[in-house]
Amino acid sequence: MVALAILSLLTAIAALVFAGAAWQKTKDVRRPDPAAVESLPTDVAGLRAEVAALRAESAMNLRHLAVVRFDAFGDAGGHLSWCLALLDDNGDGVVLTSIHGRTEARSYAKSISAWKSSQLMSPEETEAVQQAKPRS
């Protein structure tokens, strides 16, 4: 009986040691890296400047897109032809078009600047650019 009590006491002590070590590790994980904290702006003006810089960077991403599917020829159904507009916040980017016919498919790319192209655009390409434009 005494042996069982001693074994239980040793198990409890070991469990306390392991729990303390785990708690210490958890405490260390929650403590932020001092170098990372120091690199962050501490004032509101600094945070606003950081947000403005991130917005300026993301303005050049091709994040406005639209796809218009259509039948290029009356005898070919299924809306297999398509136009894809990929534009940034300034309306700069590209419109990709694939015209699918019975025996062939052709692809075209037209550059877009300020939501317009210097090349003549089809009605479907114009629609794709207009759909990609953000709503105000």
Side-chain angles (χ1 to χ4, degrees), residues 11 19 21-22 25 30 39 44 50 56-57 78 93 105 109 117-118 120 126 131:
T11 305
K25 279 185 181 179
R30 285 184 272 153
S39 69
V44 174
E50 188 72 25
E57 277 182 40
S117 177
S118 60
L120 185 63
T126 303
Q131 285 184 12

Side-chain angles (χ1 to χ4, degrees), residues 66-85 95-108 122-125 127-128:
V67 175
V68 174
R69 296 179 60 96
F70 61 98
D71 290 325
F73 306 104
D75 62 342
H79 295 298
L80 298 176
S81 299
W82 50 266
C83 298
L84 169 64
V95 172
L96 303 173
T97 303
S98 176
I99 308 259
H100 181 79
R102 229 172 231 267
T103 59
E104 64 184 3
R106 295 181 182 238
S107 299
Y108 303 92
S122 71
E124 294 83 10
E125 291 168 331
E127 181 182 349

Side-chain angles (χ1 to χ4, degrees), residues 33-101:
D33 180 23
V37 171
E38 226 171 90
S39 69
L40 292 174
T42 57
D43 58 347
V44 174
L47 291 173
R48 287 179 196 254
E50 188 72 25
V51 168
L54 290 171
R55 283 186 179 156
E57 277 182 40
S58 70
M60 295 186 300
N61 293 341
L62 297 177
R63 59 188 190 149
H64 302 286
L65 62 99
V67 175
V68 174
R69 296 179 60 96
F70 61 98
D71 290 325
F73 306 104
D75 62 342
H79 295 298
L80 298 176
S81 299
W82 50 266
C83 298
L84 169 64
L86 297 165
L87 305 162
D88 65 8
D89 286 347
N90 299 318
D92 299 335
V94 66
V95 172
L96 303 173
T97 303
S98 176
I99 308 259
H100 181 79

Side-chain angles (χ1 to χ4, degrees), residues 130-136:
Q130 291 305 312
Q131 285 184 12
K133 192 182 275 192
R135 311 277 186 255
S136 302

